[in-house]
Every structure is written in structure tokens, then in C-alpha cells.
Amino acid sequence: MTTKTEIREGGPATSRSASRRSHGEAPFRFLSTGAGILLLGIMAAIAVFLIGEAIPALRANKGNFLTELTWDPNNSQVFGIGALAFGTVLSSALALVIAMPIAVGVALFISHYAPRRLAGPLGYLIDLLAAVPSVIYGLWGVAFLVPLLREPSQWLNENFGWFPLFAGEGAIGGKTMLAGGIVLAIMILPIIAAISREVFLQVPKTNEEAALALGATRWEMIRMAVLPFGRPGVISAAMLGLGRAMGETIAVALIFPATFGISFQILTPQGNSIAANIANGFGEAGEIGRGALIASGLVLFIITLLVNMAARMIINRRKELMKADT
């Protein structure tokens, strides 16, 4: 006598598997949503704190906070963010211009040119640079880089003084915007290089092999297959490095001479930034002075948010163009 065994879809094993998936879905969704809300809450709390502490100082300010170049909140109660914001943006942009080509070149070398036995240690060495404390970079800049740049700065001023960045009269070299920009570039280079390297390693091998099979050289393959694929990631890395440069404190506080003025001359002893001014002045500031420094921190907070928002818009726009091309 034979018995028929019916196999039905969606039996006990399938239902148990679906039940486990459904039980795991809800906690994960709750935790991920809670993490996002917590992050927004922290940012909102920081903004509320900065605004609340800055309002009394802004009310006592006798100058225009956005355009005033003087910074004297403790005595005359006249202070403004104009010179500090300009120095922050100029030094960070200079650092990004210096660091980006080197970082992308290092990332391409590690991911597509270096032998595997060399790529691993070199990648670890680049990552190790990101772990060096910023005060070490600042001390190195003051003790070694500033004297080293004196003669090259004079040469640039003598031969390319017609260019606004290299113009200047009187003292050339010393604690300049160029020295600060180079130190910041060295500090953000590991971040940009590490992220760009990981992005380049994610390029589909089929795309690279297809380009090589069509007769492209290695550089042509990188230009046609690797760089277009990794461009959004490289932009993200650049914006992350720019944010790090804008918020750097100790290194630039040691190098910048803490002057207050707006000038594009990067070879003369001048320059300051919001973060450096906070580090130099917070210990000796009075009630109005602390409020003024917190107000400048609020401006830095807003600038960083705007930079990140602009980077996100660029990346999203780039993704839309890539989808349209395909």
C-alpha cells in the first residue's frame, strides 16, 4: 500500500523563516530610525546652545557682526566675523587645492599601479598619518616648515608677484597663509586618499577589463572607467577633508599670527581662522568675549553645514547625469 505525500508551498519551515524575518525587521527599523532621529536631535541641540549663548553678546556688539574686521569684544565690545570667516575659507580652500591632486594620485597608485605587497603597507602608512595628533603637525609646521618656506616664498614673490596670491611688500615668508594651508593639506590628505582608494577599488572589474580588451592603455582605462565611477566618492572625500580643514584648531593656532584683515596675499605674515581665534581667546575672554567666540562658532557650524549640503547636491546631480547617460 502506497501513501501520497503532498508537498505544499508555504509549509511550516517557510512560515517559520518568514516569521523570523518579520521579527527581526521591526527592531532593525526601530534602531535605524532612532539613530537618525538622535543624530538630528544632537545637531539641533548644538544649534540651540550656540544661538542661546551668542544672543547676549550679539546684542551688546557695537559693530556689524558679519562685516566688522575688528575683534575686541572684551574692551570696546566691537567685534565681527568678516576677517575670521575669510581666513577660514581661504586657508581651507588652499589646503584642498594642494591636497586633492596628491591624494587622488596616491589612491590611484595604491589601487591600480602598486604591487600588492607594496599596496598594503603603503595604505596602512597613509591611514597612520590620519592618527597623528594635530598639535604634532602644528609644532612641525612652526619648527620646520615656516623656516623652510622663507626662501621659496621670496622667490615666488620676486618672479610671480604680479599674481594676487603671491603679491606683497615688506616681510615675505614666516607665519603665512601658505604655511597654514600646507599643514592643513597634509592633515586632510590621508582622509581624502583613504576614501578615494576604497572607492577606486569598488570599480567593477568587468568595466576595467572591457576597456583593456578594446586596446586602452592603463591610463586610458583609468580615465574612462575608474574616474567616472569614483567621481562622486572623490567629491565626498574632498568635502569631508574640507570640513576637517575648516574645523582644525591647534595646528593653525600655532602657525597663524592672529591678525584681523582681509587679504589674498598668502606669502606675507598674516592670517587667522575662526577655530584658531576661539582657541587663542577663550581662556582670557570675559562674559561678552565668550559669547562672541560662541557666536563665531555658530558661523563655523553654519558654513560647515552649507558645505556638506552643497557636496550632497553635487553628488546627487552627478548620479542623475550618470543614470541619464546609461
Side-chain angles (χ1 to χ4, degrees):
M1 181 174 122
T2 59
T3 58
K4 293 183 178 180
T5 302
E6 295 182 358
I7 300 176
R8 296 177 298 172
E9 295 181 359
T14 306
S15 62
R16 285 197 299 269
S17 177
S19 176
R20 284 196 297 268
R21 286 197 299 268
S22 63
H23 286 313
E25 183 75 17
F28 179 76
R29 184 186 297 114
F30 174 78
L31 290 175
S32 58
T33 304
I37 295 175
L38 178 62
L39 179 60
L40 293 177
I42 292 174
M43 293 183 63
I46 293 174
V48 170
F49 167 78
L50 293 175
I51 293 173
E53 294 294 326
I55 287 177
L58 293 176
R59 288 177 175 173
N61 187 12
K62 298 179 181 179
N64 190 315
F65 179 69
L66 297 179
T67 59
E68 179 65 48
L69 302 183
T70 304
W71 187 269
D72 188 21
N74 296 312
N75 298 317
S76 62
Q77 295 184 354
V78 176
F79 56 91
I81 201 68
L84 296 174
F86 176 83
T88 300
V89 174
L90 180 59
S91 61
S92 302
L94 183 63
L96 190 64
V97 170
I98 297 173
M100 272 298 295
I102 301 174
V104 173
V106 169
L108 287 173
F109 176 75
I110 295 175
S111 60
H112 287 82
Y113 284 96
R116 291 302 94 188
R117 67 178 65 182
L118 177 62
L122 188 57
Y124 293 140
L125 180 62
I126 296 298
D127 296 338
L128 183 63
L129 289 175
V132 177
S134 60
V135 65
I136 302 299
Y137 286 110
L139 292 174
W140 173 82
V142 172
F144 177 77
L145 185 63
V146 169
L148 182 66
L149 288 177
R150 192 173 301 276
E151 292 186 5
S153 298
Q154 294 175 353
W155 184 86
L156 287 173
N157 178 256
E158 292 173 0
N159 294 275
F160 300 97
W162 50 268
F163 190 64
L165 290 178
F166 303 141
E169 298 179 356
I172 300 296
K175 294 185 175 182
T176 63
M177 187 68 69
L178 177 62
I182 292 176
V183 171
L184 288 176
I186 296 173
M187 296 182 65
I188 68 176
L189 190 149
I191 300 174
I192 302 174
I195 297 176
S196 300
R197 178 191 67 209
E198 296 301 322
V199 171
F200 293 152
L201 289 174
Q202 301 303 317
V203 178
K205 293 299 180 183
T206 53
N207 293 6
E208 298 180 2
E209 293 171 356
L212 294 173
L214 292 174
T217 63
R218 181 172 295 188
W219 163 242
E220 290 173 339
M221 177 271 292
I222 290 174
R223 184 168 55 86
M224 294 186 297
V226 177
L227 292 180
F229 180 88
R231 189 173 287 115
V234 173
I235 295 174
S236 299
M239 294 301 104
L240 185 62
L242 181 61
R244 167 72 191 278
M246 285 184 172
E248 179 51 43
T249 305
I250 299 300
V252 292
L254 292 172
I255 294 177
F256 286 159
T259 60
F260 295 91
I262 294 179
S263 174
F264 285 97
Q265 299 174 2
I266 64 174
L267 301 180
T268 56
Q270 59 182 348
N272 207 345
S273 71
I274 295 176
N277 186 61
I278 293 175
N280 290 327
F282 200 85
E284 302 176 356
E287 183 178 355
I288 300 299
R290 286 193 297 269
L293 293 174
I294 292 175
S296 66
L298 176 62
V299 173
L300 181 61
F301 182 75
I302 295 173
I303 292 175
T304 305
L305 285 180
L306 292 177
V307 168
N308 290 328
M309 291 173 59
R312 180 55 55 186
M313 293 175 59
I314 293 173
I315 293 171
N316 291 337
R317 179 59 178 169
R318 189 66 198 174
K319 289 181 178 178
E320 293 177 359
L321 292 176
M322 291 177 65
K323 289 180 180 179
D325 292 339
T326 56

